[in-house]
Amino acid sequence: MLRNRVKELRARYGFTQSDLGKLTDVTRQTIAFIEKGEFSPSIALALKLAKALQTNVDELFWLEEDEKNEK
Amino acid sequence: MKNDFRMQYPLWMMGFIVVLGMFAYGVSSPVTNVVNTETEQSIMIEFEPVAGFFVVGTAALYIIMLVIFIFRLLRHNKKNPNQKVSPFSVRPLEYLEQDEGMTYITRKASQKVYTFMSWSLPMLAVFAMVTPLPRLFIVWGILLVALIQYVIYYLEIRKHFKEEIE
């Protein structure tokens, strides 16, 4: 499963879901789906999100299996 | 989003299907007398009081609902010029495809509906063939399948929007 830090970084920069949606050309609902882990974004959207949140894609998204292996 | 016309569209269709089912009951029960002699040619369709009420009442209700439906559709198109919907579109109006997230939700809901349709329609066809049911019951069966597909679609979409957080 794909995990992410979208909610954490969005809060850090003081963005609402709507703000981030506007920056990445998607609806607020799609940002909510991504944050909840219901939906895995495309590479293009992941890149847009990373750019909007001033980070790298691999800092923003990672696989749950990798997280377990690191522990 | 919950007030989006496309989200409410399945509810409208459910309403129309229920009214159509009641209308079907009304129109399937009249007594028809056909007289065709050398001196007289006439067709008389006689509704029973209850059936007559169903025909007139549901036809009136259907028209009222249709007027409100068109009004809501036009209002949606006015408010959302970039996401206009047309009642004459071949694609179902309830599809939410503004972006990849919405397309994903729509696809999930559509898959559930397809799964239901893939076994319910053959079952209904077999049921209609092997049982000596009146035509009205077959019509109700078809309408029930149509109703359930909208229920499945609506509940799946609604589930994703239920816990929306900002």
Side-chain angles (χ1 to χ4, degrees), chain A residues 7 10 16-18 26-30 32-33 36 38-39 41-42 45, chain B residues 1 83 98-102 104-105 108 159-166:
Chain A
K7 190 174 182 180
R10 177 174 64 79
T16 63
Q17 289 175 338
S18 301
V26 294
T27 56
R28 181 177 71 82
Q29 286 79 18
T30 292
F33 296 152
K36 283 190 280 181
E38 282 184 21
F39 163 66
S42 65
L45 180 53
Chain B
M1 192 70 210
Q83 295 167 28
Q98 298 98 308
D99 59 38
E100 59 184 77
M102 303 303 242
Y104 170 77
I105 300 300
K108 271 188 82 176
K159 189 177 81 183
H160 291 285
F161 290 100
K162 214 172 179 183
E163 294 167 11
E164 269 184 26
I165 42 167
E166 182 72 31

Side-chain angles (χ1 to χ4, degrees), chain B residues 108-154:
Chain B
K108 271 188 82 176
S110 303
Q111 279 176 339
K112 284 197 171 182
V113 170
Y114 184 83
T115 305
F116 166 71
M117 295 302 266
S118 66
W119 62 261
S120 64
L121 283 180
M123 261 182 66
L124 183 67
V126 171
F127 196 68
M129 278 188 283
V130 298
T131 53
L133 288 172
R135 197 175 59 172
L136 176 64
F137 283 74
I138 308 295
V139 171
W140 276 350
I142 295 166
L143 291 177
L144 184 67
V145 169
L147 183 80
I148 294 172
Q149 70 156 355
Y150 281 115
V151 171
I152 292 170
Y153 187 90
Y154 179 73

